[in-house]
Amino acid sequence: MNGTPPEPEGLVLLGRVTGVHGLRGDLRVRPESSDGSALLELGRLELRLPGSDTTTRYRVTRAVPRRGVVQVHLKGIDRVEAAESLVGGELLALARELPALEEDEYYWHELDGMNVVDVQRGDIGKIIDLLPTAAHDVYVVKGALGEILIPAVEVFVLEIDRQQRMMRVDLPDGLIDHDVL
């Protein structure tokens, strides 16, 4: 996932079309989130082609996870030639249509740009990126102390306040270069 700016009109980037699968127009989509669950659950998606500011709404007829990507079939895209013309495009959804998450789960657009405050050091910066790893995600925070990588685990992340756009953390000694402090 990368720190892309918020989309216009409440659109949220869910994935990028990286290729095609088969001859019937299936798209290979690299999800912007670590699991791609929103791509698997939504019945309608917006497609924006490279270099375009407009989107086209499609009904999703099938979405299946496949080795780090999601194989998506959009109604009306039934041939490999039609699907190939969509490679490089982005699949988006209206934020209000995204599936509800558990209390301790968040969409990237909710975290992107969020202020991060450490209980010992105070304000340490804003979240600019999210790195998925095999064990857990890692928040990339940039601020006056430079770039800090914070594991997205309960022991470090104490609170995420969506309304205040603030994450409260308790970072251990050694995670931030003490020379900067």
Side-chain angles (χ1 to χ4, degrees):
M1 244 181 255
N2 61 26
T4 55
E7 296 294 340
E9 300 179 34
L11 288 175
V12 176
L13 178 63
L14 299 181
R16 299 176 194 279
V17 180
T18 59
V20 299
H21 179 84
L23 300 174
R24 296 186 180 160
D26 287 354
L27 303 172
R28 291 178 48 85
V29 178
R30 181 179 39 84
E32 286 292 303
S33 67
S34 56
D35 66 356
S37 59
L39 283 168
L40 298 171
E41 294 181 39
L42 289 172
R44 297 194 183 278
L45 294 171
E46 302 283 331
L47 175 75
R48 180 172 51 211
L49 295 176
S52 175
D53 292 332
T54 62
T55 62
T56 304
R57 192 161 177 89
Y58 285 94
R59 188 167 71 80
V60 178
T61 58
R62 183 176 59 256
V64 181
R66 300 262 191 240
R67 293 184 213 114
V69 299
V70 177
Q71 187 176 313
V72 177
H73 188 86
L74 303 175
K75 183 173 177 142
I77 308 297
D78 297 322
R79 298 180 50 105
V80 67
E81 296 82 8
E84 285 173 340
S85 70
L86 306 179
V87 173
E90 299 172 326
L91 290 178
L92 307 105
L94 292 170
R96 68 176 182 268
E97 293 178 354
L98 292 173
L101 297 175
E102 298 294 323
E103 185 176 322
D104 62 343
E105 295 180 323
Y106 304 89
Y107 285 109
W108 168 241
H109 72 277
E110 295 176 302
L111 300 173
D112 188 22
M114 187 174 273
N115 290 320
V116 181
V117 177
D118 180 63
V119 295
Q120 302 292 324
R121 297 167 185 90
D123 185 9
I124 59 172
K126 294 185 182 292
I127 298 174
I128 62 165
D129 207 351
L130 180 71
L131 305 173
T133 70
H136 48 74
D137 291 339
V138 175
Y139 301 120
V140 180
V141 177
K142 189 166 187 170
L145 302 176
E147 193 171 271
I148 303 167
L149 303 178
I150 302 173
V153 294
E154 276 184 48
V155 69
F156 301 130
V157 179
L158 304 177
E159 175 187 14
I160 296 176
D161 186 329
R162 286 179 171 111
Q163 267 49 41
Q164 298 290 322
R165 301 230 357 102
M166 188 267 303
M167 177 184 290
R168 193 167 60 88
V169 298
D170 187 7
L171 302 182
D173 290 336
L175 194 64
I176 298 175
D177 185 2
H178 286 292
D179 295 336
V180 179
L181 299 173

